[in-house]
Amino acid sequence: MTVKAYGAYAGDKPLEPLNIDRRTTQAHDVQIDIAYCGVCHSDLHQVRGEWAGTQFPCVPGHEIVGRVAAVGSHVSDFRPGDLVGIGCIVDSCKHCEECDVGLENYCDGMTGTYNFPTADAPGYTLGGYSQQIVVHERYVLRIRHPEEQLAAVAPLLCAGITTYSPLRHWGAGPGKKVGIVGIGGLGHMGIKLAHAMGAHVVAFTTSESKREAARLLGADETVVSHNAEEMKAHAKSFDLIINTVAAAHDLDMFVTLLKRDGTMALVGAPSSPHASPNVMNLITKRRSIAGSMIGGIPETQQMLDFCAEHGIVSDIELIGADQINESYERMLKGDVKYRFVIDNSTLN
Ligand code: NAP
Ligand code: ZN
């Protein structure tokens, strides 16, 4: 089946309309008409070749929502017409230690939604900037939000789960002080989720203009990280900091804000490495710097249900496919409140 998509033929070329093939629906497959797809900073890193190994043409997009168009003969949990989502994972080995416990995101054989090897043409996966996608039922998520919120649900499939998972893993909740660094797509979801979990939330931003916005998102306090005095006031006080920044920066300025046994979980994935942190800052208070990658399929469903229950969606700017290139430039400037979402009907 040939469908319309938007992608790039090279890292230094803009994205443009192209046609791609989707496999015929197999027994365990769900075929989805994509309604909306979020624009993640990872899409930009990948399609511009900032991360190694991009295959071209590259069709990004892993914040996918839409309706089931058809199901394979062995699929019983989904029916045509159901509202569903696809995140960053479209396959995994299904039998390793990680898959067995629903942590497919840490399976060595995980197949990402774009730019990962697959038996389907053209030999690597193509993402959600497209009209349709065909995915094994195991990786299909159910959406329980009202349909009119569908576009704003899309970013939950990556930005939502990538912040939800470390917040849960490191125990964000009442009595815990949680920092969220960077108020972009991931960060704004991190603020909403940590607030809904009952933590005391402090947002860190480089943009003075986002101070008031962070409060509206649910931050109890906001710190402009360039301001040394403001930073000092929070020294040795955090249980957990989730760092979403998409560029290399000084990690020590945040490590020193952790209290004893505190953890900073890095989720931002810059293309160049951070300078080595000062080990003494870790040793002297038994602090940790950790990493976290998206979340497994069961936890992603749990996150979607938590968001439906608490009325949480992303703050979005809806765009047509012909605005994708412009949206990348604006994302690089931090000029988005707080996630661009593509209306996939404009791919026609
Ligand atoms: P985004 O919307 O561009 O947000 C990143 C935010 O970081 C910006 O809004 C800005 O916030 C801050 N920032 C950017 N450049 C900065 C700099 N040089 N110094 C300090 N702060 C800076 O990006 P996103 O979609 O949230 O993604 C963030 C990162 O997470 C990307 O690297 C992406 O690839 C990665 N990611 C990782 C995973 C995972 O599984 N670990 C999943 C998805 C995405 P302020 O204006 O508030 O400072
Ligand atoms: Zn993403």
Side-chain angles (χ1 to χ4, degrees):
M1 171 180 51
T2 301
V3 302
K4 292 194 163 75
Y6 228 79
Y9 286 95
D12 59 357
K13 295 267 190 315
L15 284 80
E16 58 182 286
L18 46 90
N19 290 328
I20 60 168
D21 286 329
R22 292 300 189 191
R23 70 172 179 251
T24 307
T25 306
Q26 308 291 304
H28 284 283
D29 280 345
V30 178
Q31 183 188 330
I32 299 159
D33 286 330
I34 304 176
Y36 303 101
C37 183
V39 175
C40 179
H41 206 114
S42 301
D43 301 351
L44 184 155
H45 288 311
Q46 191 77 68
V47 80
R48 292 197 171 173
E50 292 178 3
W51 291 342
T54 305
Q55 309 211 57
F56 293 99
C58 173
V59 175
H62 56 204
E63 294 184 337
I64 298 166
V65 292
R67 274 192 189 284
V68 174
V71 296
S73 54
H74 286 57
V75 174
S76 52
D77 284 353
F78 298 100
R79 288 189 198 167
D82 286 355
L83 285 183
V84 292
I86 299 293
C88 305
I89 309 172
V90 291
D91 206 357
S92 64
C93 84
K94 306 184 188 77
H95 51 68
C96 69
E97 201 182 330
E98 316 295 357
C99 288
D100 281 351
V101 295
L103 290 173
E104 300 89 346
N105 49 323
Y106 298 119
C107 165
D108 290 337
M110 184 198 98
T111 303
T113 305
Y114 55 79
N115 205 57
F116 273 69
T118 172
D120 302 343
Y124 56 92
T125 49
L126 299 165
Y129 297 5
S130 58
Q131 291 176 312
Q132 281 201 341
I133 193 164
V134 178
V135 179
H136 186 285
E137 59 180 329
R138 175 175 177 147
Y139 309 94
V140 180
L141 288 314
R142 187 166 291 285
I143 291 168
R144 299 191 165 90
H145 287 75
E147 181 169 7
E148 54 273 21
Q149 292 184 324
L150 195 57
V153 169
L156 303 183
L157 276 304
C158 174
I161 185 59
T162 302
T163 47
Y164 181 92
S165 185
L167 286 168
R168 282 286 191 232
H169 183 76
W170 279 284
K176 300 284 178 172
K177 184 171 173 183
V178 173
I180 305 287
V181 186
I183 311 177
L186 268 57
H188 96 288
M189 287 311 310
I191 294 170
K192 289 185 184 212
L193 291 165
H195 174 73
M197 290 174 192
H200 181 88
V201 184
V202 181
F204 292 92
T205 182
T206 56
S207 315
E208 178 70 48
S209 62
K210 293 183 187 170
R211 203 188 274 276
E212 172 62 10
R215 194 182 63 77
L216 296 173
L217 291 167
D220 297 288
E221 300 174 68
T222 305
V223 172
V224 174
S225 52
H226 295 319
N227 185 323
E229 282 306 305
E230 279 187 57
M231 291 291 279
K232 212 166 135 195
H234 290 274
K236 302 179 201 166
S237 67
F238 284 88
D239 297 282
L240 173 65
I241 295 176
I242 309 287
N243 187 330
T244 77
V245 173
H249 61 283
D250 173 18
L251 298 180
D252 284 320
M253 62 193 275
F254 297 108
V255 169
T256 51
L257 303 189
L258 295 169
K259 65 186 197 190
R260 170 178 49 79
D261 289 330
T263 298
M264 174 158 73
L266 302 177
V267 294
S271 49
S272 55
H274 297 292
S276 291
N278 181 345
V279 174
M280 294 313 276
N281 288 332
L282 302 173
I283 290 173
T284 51
K285 290 260 177 236
R286 201 161 57 187
R287 296 164 168 139
S288 305
I289 297 176
S292 183
M293 190 174 80
I294 42 175
I297 297 298
E299 192 175 40
T300 306
Q301 187 62 64
Q302 198 187 91
M303 176 279 306
L304 283 169
D305 294 348
F306 177 87
C307 289
E309 204 177 298
H310 289 81
I312 296 173
V313 289
S314 172
D315 287 19
I316 66 161
E317 289 189 46
L318 197 62
I319 58 168
D322 60 354
Q323 293 170 285
I324 294 172
N325 292 302
E326 183 196 332
S327 78
Y328 280 12
E329 295 310 315
R330 285 188 49 201
M331 183 163 60
L332 281 172
K333 288 190 222 140
D335 175 24
V336 48
K337 289 196 172 72
Y338 286 90
R339 196 59 136 186
F340 290 109
V341 172
I342 302 161
D343 176 351
N344 287 41
S345 69
T346 61
L347 288 164
N348 279 307

